[in-house]
């Protein structure tokens, strides 16, 4: 079957250059491609892309006309999109890294990453993003699970030496601790949660009662909290007195949901984090 005549803008056709297991549940895939020289810079440390998976048996070649494929194909054969944070991009070297949390054989993107080999191809979208740490804030709070680790790592790397604050990282296995590189005075706390159904675990750690006095001043704190949806909802309840404009907070995923269902629920009460 020939590829559609229309092409979608903002797609990058990349090739796997290397993979590295950072822990038992986290694998880094390093990709390269000529188009990365002009990969847009969002100015955000939580830059994310859509990974675009099209059934290879259809014979289409990227870049894809996603609208045409969705219109022409039955639901079970339509392109699958998955959202991932860009861990690092080097435009001069035309290289980009994405860290994948793995959960066995379930899903689409994580199993692909777990078995990726040099030469494999991946198509990604242009990046989006919405957060960058303010270097002038008195106190930074960053919180999340492994899915938020790439964005949190990028954020602490961007902070100046004088920056102060704390990182709370919830994990289920101590072997998943990955060193965070920073020149700042940010404290990194790894929190091993033995009960993944305890959605208040992270919120108890983030409780602002332990913040220094300057964090409670107007514009004294900036918070980045992302991860499993119900856990993030619990964090928002604890931070109810923090102005919304001082927060970057949302769910990256929801336990028991595929990303398609998770994204659809964002428009419903169950998916909103106010």
């Amino acid at each position: 079957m020939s590829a559609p005549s229309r092409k979608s803008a903002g797609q990058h056709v990349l090739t796997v250059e290397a993979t590295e297991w950072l822990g038992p549940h986290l694998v880094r895939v390093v990709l390269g491609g000529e188009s990365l020289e002009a990969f847009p810079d969002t100015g955000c440390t939580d830059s994310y892309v859509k990974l675009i998976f099209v059934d290879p048996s259809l014979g289409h070649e990227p870049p894809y006309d996603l609208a045409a494929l969705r219109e022409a194909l039955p639901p079970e054969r339509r392109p699958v999109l998955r959202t991932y944070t860009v861990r690092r991009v080097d435009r001069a070297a035309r290289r980009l890294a994405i860290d994948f949390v793995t959960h066995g054989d379930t899903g689409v993107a994580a199993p692909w990453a777990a078995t990726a080999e040099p030469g494999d191809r991946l198509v990604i979208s242009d990046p989006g993003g919405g957060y960058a740490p303010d270097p002038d804030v008195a106190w930074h709070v960053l919180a999340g699970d492994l899915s938020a680790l790439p964005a949190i790592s990028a954020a602490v790397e961007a902070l100046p030496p004088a920056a102060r604050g704390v990182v709370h990282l919830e994990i289920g296995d101590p072997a998943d601790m990955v060193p965070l590189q920073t020149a700042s005075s940010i404290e990194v706390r790894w929190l091993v949660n033995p009960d993944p159904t305890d959605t208040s675990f992270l919120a108890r750690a983030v409780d602002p009662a332990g913040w220094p006095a300057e964090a409670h001043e107007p514009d004294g704190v900036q918070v980045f909290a992302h991860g499993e949806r119900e856990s993030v909802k619990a964090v928002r309840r604890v931070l109810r007195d923090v102005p919304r404009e001082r927060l970057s907070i949302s769910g990256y995923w929801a336990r028991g949901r595929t990303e398609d269902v998770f994204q659809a629920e964002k428009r419903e009460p169950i998916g909103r984090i106010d």
Side-chain angles (χ1 to χ4, degrees), residues 1-270:
M1 182 182 296
S2 61
S5 58
R6 293 175 295 166
K7 302 295 184 182
S8 295
Q11 294 181 22
H12 303 265
V13 184
L14 307 180
T15 301
V16 174
E17 295 188 352
T19 63
E20 177 187 5
W21 284 93
L22 307 178
H25 303 101
L26 194 67
V27 60
R28 174 168 297 165
V29 178
V30 179
L31 303 129
E34 293 298 317
S35 69
L36 290 176
E37 186 174 9
F39 190 72
D41 185 354
T42 66
C44 300
T45 53
D46 67 341
S47 290
Y48 60 86
V49 294
K50 298 288 185 180
L51 314 187
I52 305 168
F53 295 94
V54 172
D55 185 348
S57 69
L58 295 171
H60 295 292
E61 284 296 315
Y64 303 115
D65 186 331
L66 295 176
L69 290 176
R70 292 188 183 108
E71 181 179 345
L73 296 172
E76 67 275 9
R77 305 201 73 185
R78 290 172 185 165
V80 174
L81 275 61
R82 293 293 182 260
T83 309
Y84 276 83
T85 302
V86 174
R87 175 61 185 88
R88 187 178 289 115
V89 60
D90 184 335
R91 292 169 179 81
R94 303 180 183 91
R95 189 168 290 119
L96 178 146
I98 298 175
D99 294 350
F100 294 78
V101 180
T102 61
H103 300 284
D105 296 330
T106 59
V108 177
W112 174 87
T115 59
E117 297 181 348
D120 289 350
R121 191 167 62 179
L122 182 68
V123 182
I124 69 171
S125 71
D126 273 346
Y131 164 85
D134 181 347
D136 297 323
V137 166
W139 191 252
H140 295 268
V141 177
L142 301 104
D145 54 27
L146 274 183
S147 69
L149 178 59
I152 290 175
S153 297
V156 299
E157 288 174 0
L159 284 168
R164 299 173 61 238
V166 61
V167 172
H168 302 281
L169 282 161
E170 178 183 351
I171 54 175
D173 185 340
D176 282 321
M177 295 182 187
V178 178
L180 272 67
Q181 307 298 321
T182 179
S184 70
S185 299
I186 295 288
E187 178 186 0
V188 178
R189 299 176 183 174
W190 290 95
L191 312 170
V192 181
N193 183 3
D195 179 9
T197 65
D198 180 4
T199 56
S200 296
F201 180 85
L202 188 61
R204 293 194 296 272
V206 174
D207 192 332
W211 296 354
E214 57 266 33
H216 297 278
E217 297 294 328
D219 299 334
V221 68
Q222 186 183 29
V223 177
F224 179 88
H226 293 251
E228 198 281 325
R229 185 175 64 199
E230 297 308 310
S231 176
V232 172
K233 284 183 179 180
V235 169
R236 181 60 179 124
R237 290 192 291 270
V238 168
L239 302 181
R240 59 189 176 276
D241 293 330
V242 177
R244 190 62 179 84
E245 63 270 18
R246 308 307 301 165
L247 297 170
S248 173
I249 186 165
S250 70
Y252 274 164
W253 62 287
R255 187 170 284 104
R257 305 290 204 275
T258 65
E259 177 160 342
D260 299 316
V261 173
F262 168 71
Q263 294 291 349
E265 288 181 344
K266 281 188 172 183
R267 297 184 289 272
E268 302 174 5
I270 190 176

